[in-house]
Amino acid sequence: MDPPGYNCFVDRDKMDAAVQDLGPKELSCTELQELKQLARQGYWARSYALRGKVYQRLIRDIPCRAVTPDASVYSDIVGKIVGKHSTSSLPLPEFVDNTQVPSYCLNTRGEGAVRKILLCIANQFPDVSFCPALPAVVALLLHYSTDEAQCFENACRILACNDPSRKLVDQSFLAFESSCMTFGDLVNKYCQAAHKLMVAVSEDVLQVYADWQRWLFGELPLSYFARVFDVFLVEGYKVLYRVALAILKFFHKVRAGQPLESDSVKQDIRTFVRDIAKTVSPEKLLEKAFAIRLFSRKEIQLLQMANEKALKQKGITVKQKRQFVHLAVHAENFHSEIVSVKEMRDIWSWVPERFALCQPLLLFSSLQHGYSLTRFYFQCEGHEPTLLLIKTTQKEVCGAYLSTDWSERNKFGGKVGFFGTGECFVFRLQPEVQRYEWVVIKHPELTKPVPLEAPAAPSPPCRPVSSDPADRLSPFLAARHFNLPSKTESMFMAGGNDCLIIGGGGGQALYIDGDLNRGRTGHCDTFNNQPLCSENFLISAVEAWGFQDPDTQ
């Protein structure tokens, strides 16, 4: 077999060692479903020439804005922009945020070419303000491009994609930060053991998750990153979440039980990813990634929008020093009759990232406001979400995170009707900690997503709910987005004059009477939970907590 015809930017010895060239030279399929299968199987990963051809074809098919810089633009501007500078001393554009340019298997000429291309992209895309993933993308594309101009054109097409349903790379700090929050939400739901470890060892767990793109775009070796990129070009951004979740699962499996320090866990994960070949092959990494049954692309888009809106409302649209989210529950000003500061911080680590930005606000306390369900509703209405805490006379502690304003109960004309979304969950803290989420999250086979109309921004976090209908459109994990076999899988929360109910179908996760005196708990279909405490219990104390933006105090 003839040796592959590498371009002038590639170090032949490094490339031969990193990616063997043993595969087919042509690709004839045109159907998307078949392309997906071939990408996941690594069909063109085994051929240097074929991968270059496939990249050209897939990137050429990306729908782009009308005026997208092409190879001829690069030829026109590169001399003026680079001037007489040595390529090794060229500065990087500000939008890469001091990201190191991964060399992979590039030679010195290739490393300099990446800098030239990035500077030319910055010249043509003044609207790109934050894109730390771009150096890795350009470096990878340069391995498989005939020249710098072709690499420039391909990178420009990725940036200029104008299909609203096909997000490719984050191009602003707002988009990047909301992606980090969305990844944190996904870890919370799909990697609960790893999330528990991160919370235990990190002062600010979101700082760890903010590194997730670096794992992929910088730390992964070329043979792994190229396999991820193969699938990414066919299937889009969701693939990145899958692979990062799989990396965290493998990290937890390898490091569980070993000592981890809060000031080194970020570096530990980076080192693990750099040396990932010691642990798992590219094939096993992708196999693990696609075994994770994620939400639909539309649901993830809704979650991303909700996170972006939360950041905008806090004024976080450009890079700035982040407050420690883990310290949202401040020891000096937090007091509860039911939970300790540590227990509240544990609960806070479970709530969606956009609300973890907020601080707990006591809305109702039975010891302060009396044992009255009517008063409970009065104190809670206008707040969304809320946290319900219950302490029994046997000193058991349980509760629920409730996504929706209790005023929604009034839509049922005095009858008990269920409402809420799949972000609701129930939990117990004493005698042992256990959380139960919506059954669909762990068993997505129960449902198939239904098509949604283009979503508007979800309802605003960290403040009372607006009466403006424009603020109340299509929240994340609304039951109407799914084809459920029956209503019992979506009975999240209900409230009448005589009782409050959390979870339904085959039983109730929590039932509390109108005097906030007695309650019962059992298995229910919505959360597929075990009883949260003694099945029939007497109540010692009830509290409801809201989520307050620190800037509004």
Side-chain angles (χ1 to χ4, degrees), residues 353-374:
E353 293 289 359
R354 63 190 185 278
F355 300 116
L357 294 169
C358 305
Q359 293 177 357
L361 171 67
L362 183 63
L363 302 176
F364 173 85
S365 166
S366 56
L367 300 181
Q368 178 181 337
H369 298 102
Y371 289 78
S372 163
L373 186 57
T374 302

Side-chain angles (χ1 to χ4, degrees), residues 408-419:
E408 289 287 305
R409 79 189 195 286
N410 297 324
K411 291 184 176 180
F412 299 97
K415 297 180 180 179
V416 176
F418 282 91
F419 53 97

Side-chain angles (χ1 to χ4, degrees), residues 296 298-299 447-453 479-484:
S296 70
K298 184 66 69 176
E299 287 298 324
T447 176
K448 291 182 179 179
V450 297
L452 294 178
E453 297 180 6
R480 65 177 178 275
H481 300 174
F482 299 83
N483 286 321
L484 295 167

Side-chain angles (χ1 to χ4, degrees), residues 85-151:
H85 287 283
S86 163
T87 53
S88 62
S89 65
L90 285 173
L92 290 172
E94 286 188 17
F95 65 63
V96 306
D97 190 44
N98 298 317
T99 302
Q100 294 297 310
V101 178
S103 59
Y104 298 127
C105 296
L106 297 175
N107 55 28
T108 303
R109 179 176 178 180
E111 291 175 8
V114 172
R115 290 176 173 267
K116 290 163 64 178
I117 293 166
L118 287 169
L119 283 173
C120 290
I121 290 173
N123 174 267
Q124 294 294 301
F125 287 84
D127 54 323
V128 175
S129 58
F130 195 85
C131 192
L134 196 58
V137 172
V138 171
L140 174 62
L141 290 175
L142 191 59
H143 288 74
Y144 298 96
S145 301
T146 56
D147 54 29
E148 293 174 19
Q150 185 188 78
C151 179

Side-chain angles (χ1 to χ4, degrees), residues 172-479:
S172 69
F173 183 72
L174 179 63
F176 173 84
E177 191 77 347
S178 62
S179 294
C180 294
M181 291 170 66
T182 300
F183 178 69
D185 285 324
L186 296 176
V187 174
N188 197 351
K189 294 189 181 302
Y190 293 101
C191 304
Q192 291 186 13
H195 181 64
K196 185 176 180 180
L197 176 65
M198 295 300 109
V199 169
V201 302
S202 305
E203 190 169 37
D204 179 12
V205 70
L206 195 49
Q207 287 282 19
V208 177
Y209 298 151
D211 221 28
W212 78 279
Q213 289 197 22
R214 176 167 174 161
W215 306 343
L216 308 179
F217 297 98
E219 303 297 351
L220 271 181
L222 176 68
S223 56
Y224 289 74
F225 179 48
R227 286 293 305 275
V228 174
F229 199 76
D230 293 346
V231 187
F232 164 74
L233 283 179
V234 179
E235 300 190 38
Y237 199 92
K238 187 176 173 182
V239 168
L240 305 181
Y241 285 134
R242 286 186 180 280
V243 175
L245 289 169
I247 286 172
L248 201 57
K249 281 178 176 284
F250 279 118
F251 175 79
H252 176 259
K253 182 178 180 181
V254 170
R255 296 300 301 270
Q258 299 181 22
L260 285 172
E261 299 295 333
S262 62
D263 57 353
S264 68
V265 66
K266 277 178 70 170
Q267 194 57 51
D268 286 348
I269 298 176
R270 290 178 185 179
T271 302
F272 172 81
V273 177
R274 279 197 299 273
D275 298 334
I276 197 168
K278 297 177 181 177
T279 304
V280 62
S281 66
E283 291 74 22
K284 289 294 183 184
L285 179 63
L286 288 175
E287 185 181 308
K288 173 74 80 173
F290 287 104
I292 301 169
R293 299 285 298 276
L294 276 187
F295 301 129
S296 70
R297 183 180 301 165
K298 184 66 69 176
E299 287 298 324
I300 291 176
Q301 183 184 359
L302 287 168
L303 178 56
Q304 179 102 6
M305 289 169 57
N307 285 332
E308 279 199 15
K309 186 160 189 180
L311 289 167
K312 284 180 182 176
Q313 289 175 340
K314 287 184 63 64
I316 303 175
T317 57
V318 295
K319 189 174 182 184
Q320 54 191 263
K321 184 173 178 60
R322 190 209 309 271
Q323 293 181 336
F324 284 152
V325 173
H326 186 70
L327 300 180
V329 184
H330 295 293
E332 64 273 12
N333 57 16
F334 173 79
H335 176 72
S336 166
E337 300 292 341
I338 298 178
V339 296
S340 65
V341 170
K342 182 187 180 303
E343 288 171 326
M344 194 59 143
R345 284 180 176 170
D346 287 342
I347 297 170
W348 229 245
S349 75
W350 297 335
V351 306
E353 293 289 359
R354 63 190 185 278
F355 300 116
L357 294 169
C358 305
Q359 293 177 357
L361 171 67
L362 183 63
L363 302 176
F364 173 85
S365 166
S366 56
L367 300 181
Q368 178 181 337
H369 298 102
Y371 289 78
S372 163
L373 186 57
T374 302
R375 186 63 186 268
F376 172 90
Y377 291 141
F378 178 79
Q379 294 295 128
C380 292
E381 285 181 4
H383 293 271
E384 179 182 289
T386 54
L387 190 66
L388 173 67
L389 297 176
I390 299 167
K391 185 175 184 179
T392 73
T393 55
Q394 300 300 309
K395 298 187 178 180
E396 302 158 306
V397 176
C398 59
Y401 170 84
L402 304 167
S403 66
T404 306
D405 188 344
W406 277 106
S407 65
E408 289 287 305
R409 79 189 195 286
N410 297 324
K411 291 184 176 180
F412 299 97
K415 297 180 180 179
V416 176
F418 282 91
F419 53 97
T421 73
E423 284 195 293
C424 294
F425 60 81
V426 295
F427 58 88
R428 65 168 174 259
L429 296 179
Q430 300 289 348
E432 72 276 340
V433 177
Q434 185 67 51
R435 172 175 53 144
Y436 299 96
E437 296 193 284
W438 186 26
V439 64
V440 168
I441 292 172
K442 286 193 174 180
H443 298 282
E445 67 275 7
L446 292 173
T447 176
K448 291 182 179 179
V450 297
L452 294 178
E453 297 180 6
S459 56
C462 306
R463 65 178 188 183
V465 177
S466 167
S467 59
D468 182 353
D471 273 336
R472 301 304 305 276
L473 293 174
S474 210
F476 173 59
L477 291 189

